[in-house]
Amino acid sequence: MNTALTTFSFLALTGWFIYRHLHRAESGLGAPTKAVTRPCPRCRHAVPRDSIFCPKCGVPQQIYEVVSAPLTIPDVAGGITRAHAMVRTDMCVGCGTCIAACPEAGALTMKGKIAIVDQALCVGHGECVTACPVGAIALATGTAVHRVEVPEIGPDFQTNIPGIYIVGELGGRGLIKNAINEGKIAVENVARALQIKTWDAPADGPVPLDVLIVGAGPAGLSAGLEAHRSKLRYGVLEQGTLADTVRKYPRHKILFAEPLRIPLYGDLWIADASKESLLQVWETIVAKTGLHLKTGYRVEKIEREGDLLRVVAGEASYMARHVILAMGRRGTPRRLNVPGEDLDNVFYNIAEMEDFKGRRVVVVGGGDSAIESALGLVNQPGTRVALSYRGDEFTRLKERNRLRLETAIKQKKLAVYLGSQLREIQRERVALDYAGHVLILPNDDVIIRIGGEAPFAFLQRLGVRIVQKDLPLADDLARAG
């Protein structure tokens, strides 16, 4: 009897599981999930959501992160619901400035070299956002969104102004590998546009350029090399020197996760290498290819003239069918124009505070950016910091920066020279005009924070729209923020 009952129970239970399985299959509940894909912005081939590269054209999908991100949509009241701070771990330099600025105890703490936000304690004051010297913090809603302000560009990297393209850091993507890929793809799109449209021959004067590239950083060099390879009529203008942005970059190591295909060069794979190694490679490429590069040309104006664009750089003027802007995001820094300012130990912004650990640093400037840089540097072990400001007092500081500055001076962590002007920069010392005398300070690095022209103002004069976008962050970034 027990055996029969056990057998009946087993058959009944098995039958129930079979029925459930068949029912789920018929209703589609048990059907295999179809792989989620998205079209590649470059070739439109279906790319799995978790794929890093397009399986057809091979382009890294990360370069379209900002392009494909949705525009920020405010709520009905026009505000932000339960905003909190979010830290970009790929940008944070670990200076601790945000922690000192935050009025909520414990809302921001340091974990190693990265600032961490406790969302339960953060109430969205935004003090950390304005205090961060490198723009690594933003206010956002949810747990995995970073809000950015960027030029509006399409998948071809063209702006809302026909013929004007933006690539590299100016478009919101600062990684070197992204910039190199974007410069190449933008020129591919320019070449495609040149084939589609019929251009009338000029009645007089020189034949216009097919494309003029502004900026000779990673994005601009890549764009120029691709234009050279494609036999386009092109030119590259740079207001400073070759790869000036990277040349002034204090980061000691540049890491590429995968090899990069450089036009006219081939695979470039620099792992755990210095900026000097990368610069040497670029200088070799430019010398061997004969890239049409002009340095010392600052573009001041771009105007539409019929189907063409007139680009004015000082006394020079160029006509081009397309223009690619590969300028830095931080704009054109104001210079002191003193001897030695072109040395490679002179910087206009800070990539990593840690790079100056144990160094002798002079910071020049009297605004909040200069003060925040100096205060961040004094937190680095063994770093000796001097602040030079030509004014007799600080008149434009946020109150919290003024209080922190006074504390640092009292604790003798920071030497301040009011009424001084930098006269000359040498490798291991600087000369200041101070109190009627020339003061010599032992020095390793100079950081100049005296303002400059913001690139967004330049873009808006051209008519390029500036928009806000919400970027999804990777899980590790979300946890850090």
Side-chain angles (χ1 to χ4, degrees), residues 256-270:
F256 291 162
E258 68 277 335
L260 292 170
R261 172 71 59 174
I262 305 294
L264 297 178
Y265 180 78
D267 286 344
L268 173 64
W269 194 335
I270 298 181

Side-chain angles (χ1 to χ4, degrees), residues 244-317:
D244 198 51
T245 300
V246 176
R247 193 179 300 275
K248 295 296 185 183
Y249 203 49
R251 192 186 305 271
H252 295 314
K253 296 178 181 179
I254 299 173
L255 303 180
F256 291 162
E258 68 277 335
L260 292 170
R261 172 71 59 174
I262 305 294
L264 297 178
Y265 180 78
D267 286 344
L268 173 64
W269 194 335
I270 298 181
D272 199 19
S274 66
K275 65 177 182 181
E276 287 77 17
S277 299
L278 185 59
L279 287 169
Q280 186 176 15
V281 170
W282 277 333
E283 288 169 350
T284 301
I285 294 172
V286 170
K288 288 186 175 181
T289 60
L291 186 73
H292 303 160
L293 168 66
K294 293 184 177 181
T295 59
Y297 282 71
R298 179 186 175 186
V299 172
E300 301 165 350
K301 188 187 303 183
I302 301 177
E303 299 175 325
R304 172 73 64 184
E305 291 190 8
D307 287 341
L308 302 176
L309 294 162
R310 178 180 294 277
V311 180
V312 178
E315 297 181 356
S317 179

Side-chain angles (χ1 to χ4, degrees), residues 12-65:
L13 187 61
T14 302
W16 182 80
F17 278 117
I18 293 173
Y19 168 78
R20 289 289 297 169
H21 174 75
L22 293 175
H23 176 71
R24 288 173 62 87
E26 289 175 0
S27 63
L29 297 176
T33 303
K34 185 178 180 180
V36 179
T37 62
R38 64 185 185 277
C40 172
R42 185 190 190 199
C43 69
R44 310 309 297 173
H45 184 77
V47 181
R49 286 283 179 183
D50 58 351
S51 179
I52 299 176
F53 300 95
C54 172
K56 182 178 180 181
C57 70
V59 69
Q61 296 300 288
Q62 187 184 35
I63 68 173
Y64 297 108
E65 177 189 31

Side-chain angles (χ1 to χ4, degrees), residues 71-83 141 147 468 470:
L71 293 175
T72 298
I73 302 176
D75 61 20
V76 176
I80 302 176
T81 303
R82 189 62 176 88
T141 57
R147 185 157 293 168
Q468 283 191 337
D470 287 340

Side-chain angles (χ1 to χ4, degrees), residues 97-98 101-103 108 124-132 137 139 372 398 400:
T97 303
C98 56
C102 180
L108 274 163
H125 286 300
E127 297 295 322
C128 57
V129 176
T130 55
C132 180
I137 308 179
L139 287 180
E372 288 162 0
K398 297 183 180 72
R400 66 167 181 273

Side-chain angles (χ1 to χ4, degrees), residues 82 84 104-107 117-123:
R82 189 62 176 88
H84 59 81
E104 303 296 323
V117 180
D118 186 332
Q119 294 183 15
L121 298 177
C122 179
V123 296

